[in-house]
Amino acid sequence: ASERGSIPFADSLRDLISNENELDVYTKFFPRGLAPRCVYHQKTGALDPLPETDEQLSELGYLFLLEAVDTDVYCQPSPLTVPQIHKSLSLLARFHATTFGDAPKLTEAASLLHKNGSYWSLDKRSPEFKDVEDCWTTFRSKFLPLYPFLEDEADLGARISAVASQVAAELSATPSSPGACVVHGDAKSLNMFLPKDESSPLPGFLIDFQWSGLGYPALDVAMHITHSLPAEAFEDGGEMKLVRHYFEELKGQGCDVDWKVFERQYHLGVIDFGRAVLTIFWRSASPDEFLRKAGNSNVTYANRNADAAMAFVGRIKRSLDKIF
């Protein structure tokens, strides 16, 4: 591909399309009270038709100015504590409820936003998909000396690869799909401002809607808890307690959601995000690399902490066993 600086042309174009997506969220789907207002935006150039050269790409640009968030009151922590994850899941539920099951809104969203909300959906990441099994073989070999249980997991990459297309198809929603909504698409904790006071009734704020689009709420939940929590949060049934907490919060917003359907979509979301983490991030992972990234809160916790990564491996396996 042509390159713009050190960034491949295709990646730069994908990012600019995501900027256009964020502009549409702020101007047409703004979740009032759940995100800082965009007080000014400016767009240079147009994406229709799509640029085909570096020169055309360089003519495009986006500027967003958001209202300030009081950093004496709010923070962007990672990893999250139990009170913080309860708060963040409640925030996600309120966001999802703004479009949940609203066919007219979702029809408009389908015409403007990403067809499949999330930066990792298979339609956006198909080039990496062919490497699933090789990525797992490499990752497993680097961590096996520290985690002997991986000896019995040689086929995990093949299992993910075998079902990835089916998983993506099941997670692809339409405006008329029961339980569909606009998902955030990158619900990491760094894209949330949560109250510093964990007992505060303030709900917090979401930012960064570049990858928002149609989907199912459980997809955001699967990504969010993976990105934001240490391994011990998933012990002793902790994972499904958190999933159930979100589910009850969504129901509390007046959304008609069925637990069995939601639970299946959650496990599909774990498998789907697992495919993405494996092929996008873990292809170059190692214990030393995790140590170098340990303090970077913008990185998925399962991509900078070895125990969290192993917890994610276990969750992917359990989700595969549950669904397939």
Side-chain angles (χ1 to χ4, degrees), residues 22 25-26 99 117 174 187 214 216 286 318:
E22 183 155 28
V25 170
Y26 275 113
T99 54
T174 69
L214 261 63
Y216 296 104
S286 69
R318 287 193 296 274

Side-chain angles (χ1 to χ4, degrees), residues 154-213:
D155 66 341
L156 187 65
R159 292 185 68 190
I160 294 171
S161 180
V163 302
S165 295
Q166 178 183 341
V167 168
E170 281 202 51
L171 290 174
S172 183
T174 69
S176 60
S177 297
C181 69
V182 171
V183 298
H184 184 279
D186 190 10
K188 57 190 177 186
S189 54
L190 206 65
N191 283 338
M192 299 181 181
F193 284 90
L194 300 176
K196 288 183 175 180
D197 179 356
E198 293 183 354
S199 64
S200 171
L202 295 172
F205 297 103
L206 291 164
I207 60 170
D208 192 352
F209 299 96
Q210 288 179 266
W211 302 105
S212 297

Side-chain angles (χ1 to χ4, degrees), residues 50 146 187 190 201 218 230 235 256 300 309 311 315 323:
L50 289 176
L146 296 175
L190 206 65
E235 296 173 355
D256 183 13
T300 299
R315 291 170 53 221
I323 302 301

Side-chain angles (χ1 to χ4, degrees), residues 86 89-101 178-183 215-219 221 242-259 261-263 265:
H86 285 172
L89 289 171
S90 298
L91 177 60
L92 276 178
R94 293 180 63 191
F95 170 68
H96 294 149
T98 63
T99 54
F100 186 92
C181 69
V182 171
V183 298
Y216 296 104
L219 188 65
V221 175
L242 292 172
V243 175
R244 177 66 79 166
H245 172 83
Y246 168 86
F247 176 79
E248 296 299 336
E249 289 290 311
L250 187 61
K251 284 185 66 177
Q253 294 294 320
C255 298
D256 183 13
V257 55
D258 177 82
W259 169 250
V261 173
F262 180 83
E263 183 186 27
Q265 290 169 346

Side-chain angles (χ1 to χ4, degrees), residues 62-98:
Y62 296 81
L63 172 66
F64 299 91
L65 295 179
L66 307 182
E67 65 178 333
V69 174
D70 188 345
T71 53
D72 289 332
V73 177
Y74 295 97
C75 61
Q76 295 166 284
S78 180
L80 301 180
T81 64
V82 171
Q84 287 170 338
I85 192 69
H86 285 172
K87 179 75 73 173
S88 63
L89 289 171
S90 298
L91 177 60
L92 276 178
R94 293 180 63 191
F95 170 68
H96 294 149
T98 63

Side-chain angles (χ1 to χ4, degrees), residues 136 139-140 143 147-157 159-160 222 225-226 230-237 239-240 266-267 269-271 273-275 277-278 282 302 305-323:
W136 173 246
F139 177 87
R140 178 172 166 270
F143 285 88
Y147 297 93
F149 82 91
L150 293 174
E151 185 70 40
D152 298 327
E153 303 301 336
D155 66 341
L156 187 65
R159 292 185 68 190
I160 294 171
I225 65 176
T226 302
E232 53 266 27
F234 302 103
E235 296 173 355
D236 300 321
E239 176 180 16
M240 296 315 294
Y266 169 77
H267 286 297
V270 170
I271 298 165
F273 191 54
R275 180 263 311 160
V277 170
L278 177 57
W282 282 355
N305 179 278
D307 287 344
M310 295 308 115
F312 192 29
V313 168
R315 291 170 53 221
I316 296 167
K317 182 178 184 297
R318 287 193 296 274
S319 290
L320 284 164
D321 291 343
K322 176 80 174 179
I323 302 301

